Amino acid sequence: MDFTFTEEQQAAVEAARAVFSDVAPDRAPSPALTPGAVAEDIDRQLWHELARTDLLGLTLSPDHGGGGLDPIALCLVLRESAKVLARVPLLESCAVAMAIQRYGARTFAAELLPRAGRGELILTVGANGRSGHDPAELAVSARPYGVGDGETDESPGGSGWVLDGVQSAVPWAQAADWIAVPAHTAGGRPVLALVPRTRDGVTLADQVSTSGERLAEVRLDAVRVEARELIDAAGCWDWLRSLLTTGTCALALGLGERVLAMTAEYTGRREQFGFPVATFQAVAVQAADRYIDLRAMEATLWQAAWRISTDAGGPLPTAGDVAVAKIWASDGVRRVVQTAQHLHGGFGADTDYPLHRYHAWAKQIELSLGPAAAHEEALGDLLAARPLG
């Protein structure tokens, strides 16, 4: 398998590194010392810099003022963002924009996407449902105007839809202009609604992530959306969920790589019995195991991103490769930060040192869009339905 990146993808990485080089992981207060959220807003300075360097429109088509690159390029940029714990909705905003571009109405996309690429609009998505365990689309119902709960007419005509339900742990919702809400029709068909945050019937309740970032419970009470604001194309929500999951794997990889580098730097300086602890066999073996984890995370990530980018076929649907990537990402990033804490000793818990921040972010990433066990179950279902060999 050839994992060589194109010149355009490599240029995106170089641009991202230039932007993130000025970002300090401790720009916000420590989550260990802050009751509630570490900040009320995203890192606006960084968001504007990403827009200025065209990284927010990287995956949009040139028709919308973007660079026309694929999800692989987005994952490359996300990988760099995680190394500095960038506090911006880069994954959510870009993923939703790509879903609108791929599945949404052309006039709606032409109106929304150029502004999203310029950083003038922030998009986010509710992907956790009510509890984080059940499919997100089951947490919200969508029915055409004038259709009661017991009726099954799924044709909105020219009037639009009504949404009722709750999405919990929606990232960056308070800062977002539009929230993508997966929902289900009376017939059980998944759809994706684009809802302005200030729309009548939308209420937000503050929640806080493990990493100290501000989340929201988004409640929709008879919220009306226009027909063009609801995407009912087959496969839209599944595709967006797969992209979000794969992007989360990219964040896990970038974070894990930075943590292992921090560990190598520390154990190379820290001496016991007159020798750097990195020269001790027990330390070297643990670090080597974590390096293997990262290489497995990398290989499975690019396989999943390639499947999403190309729609290439395979023995299993794309969801199978995405599940494998998330299994490795969730388990791998947990093992990397746990080993890092162990090899740093008490120094790893010092709140003046950034390792504890990476540990908190790693735990958030590990569980986001399902832990390893959930994806193992999904992969098992796929294998049972499509026996290999």
Side-chain angles (χ1 to χ4, degrees):
M1 186 173 296
D2 184 6
F3 282 147
T4 304
F5 300 112
T6 66
E7 290 183 6
E8 292 81 4
Q9 290 166 345
Q10 292 171 350
V13 173
E14 292 174 4
R17 286 175 178 167
V19 171
F20 295 128
S21 64
D22 294 330
V23 178
D26 55 359
R27 183 177 289 186
S30 166
L33 304 176
T34 308
V38 297
E40 292 296 308
D41 197 8
I42 66 172
D43 188 337
R44 293 283 175 176
Q45 177 183 344
L46 177 57
W47 188 253
H48 295 319
E49 187 63 18
L50 289 169
R52 187 189 66 80
T53 52
D54 298 325
L55 288 172
L56 297 182
L58 189 70
T59 54
L60 297 179
S61 74
D63 292 341
H64 298 133
L69 299 187
D70 57 14
I72 294 175
L74 174 60
C75 287
L76 285 166
V77 175
L78 290 169
R79 179 186 187 178
E80 299 303 317
S81 76
K83 294 177 182 179
V84 297
L85 307 183
R87 300 182 47 259
V88 287
L90 182 61
L91 169 58
E92 294 80 9
S93 198
C94 290
V96 172
M98 292 177 71
I100 295 171
Q101 177 175 263
R102 183 182 176 101
Y103 294 99
R106 290 185 179 181
T107 54
F108 186 59
E111 179 182 318
L112 216 63
L113 298 186
R115 298 185 64 197
R118 295 192 298 267
E120 298 169 5
L121 289 179
I122 295 177
L123 311 174
T124 190
V125 56
N128 294 303
R130 184 181 292 270
S131 65
H133 299 290
D134 298 320
E137 67 272 20
L138 299 183
V140 176
S141 64
R143 68 179 189 276
Y145 287 168
V147 176
D149 293 335
E151 301 176 68
T152 59
D153 179 13
E154 298 189 11
S155 174
S159 55
W161 298 77
V162 178
L163 305 177
D164 288 283
V166 175
Q167 291 285 346
S168 66
V170 179
W172 321 103
Q174 295 87 346
D177 299 287
W178 290 77
I179 302 172
V181 178
H184 67 280
T185 65
R189 182 164 49 91
V191 295
L192 184 69
L194 282 301
V195 184
R197 175 177 50 83
T198 56
R199 181 71 52 88
D200 289 344
V202 177
T203 56
L204 274 59
D206 280 357
Q207 296 176 320
V208 181
S209 72
T210 302
S211 55
E213 300 300 339
R214 203 174 174 203
L215 307 176
E217 178 189 80
V218 178
R219 185 172 296 274
L220 302 107
D221 184 12
V223 174
R224 294 195 172 194
V225 295
E226 300 174 14
R228 67 175 190 151
E229 295 172 341
L230 187 136
I231 303 174
D232 61 356
C236 174
W237 169 236
D238 289 339
W239 186 87
L240 176 55
R241 181 174 53 197
S242 291
L243 179 57
L244 290 166
T245 305
T246 304
T248 302
C249 297
L251 294 173
L253 176 61
L255 186 150
E257 289 175 331
R258 179 63 192 125
V259 166
L260 189 61
M262 291 169 61
T263 305
E265 292 167 7
Y266 176 76
T267 56
R269 295 192 309 266
R270 177 75 166 89
E271 291 189 0
Q272 284 187 343
F273 312 111
F275 297 94
V277 296
T279 62
F280 298 168
Q281 186 178 34
V283 173
V285 167
Q286 290 182 70
D289 284 343
R290 301 296 76 82
Y291 177 82
I292 293 171
D293 277 335
L294 290 174
R295 297 291 69 79
M297 291 165 64
E298 184 175 19
T300 54
L301 162 65
W302 299 131
Q303 171 71 8
W306 174 74
R307 288 289 302 274
I308 293 173
S309 298
T310 62
D311 293 323
L316 290 176
T318 301
D321 288 303
V322 173
V324 171
K326 189 57 165 68
I327 292 166
W328 273 104
S330 291
D331 282 344
V333 77
R334 184 188 69 250
R335 288 193 291 259
V336 168
V337 294
Q338 286 177 344
T339 297
Q341 288 282 13
H342 174 63
L343 296 183
H344 274 82
F347 195 62
D350 188 339
T351 55
D352 291 328
Y353 185 68
L355 182 60
H356 74 287
R357 297 173 182 268
Y358 285 91
H359 201 151
W361 276 69
K363 180 56 66 175
Q364 180 69 26
I365 291 171
E366 175 194 348
L367 301 178
S368 293
L369 296 164
H375 290 275
E376 288 168 353
E377 182 178 350
L379 181 61
D381 290 342
L382 287 173
L383 290 170
R386 299 169 179 81
L388 302 179

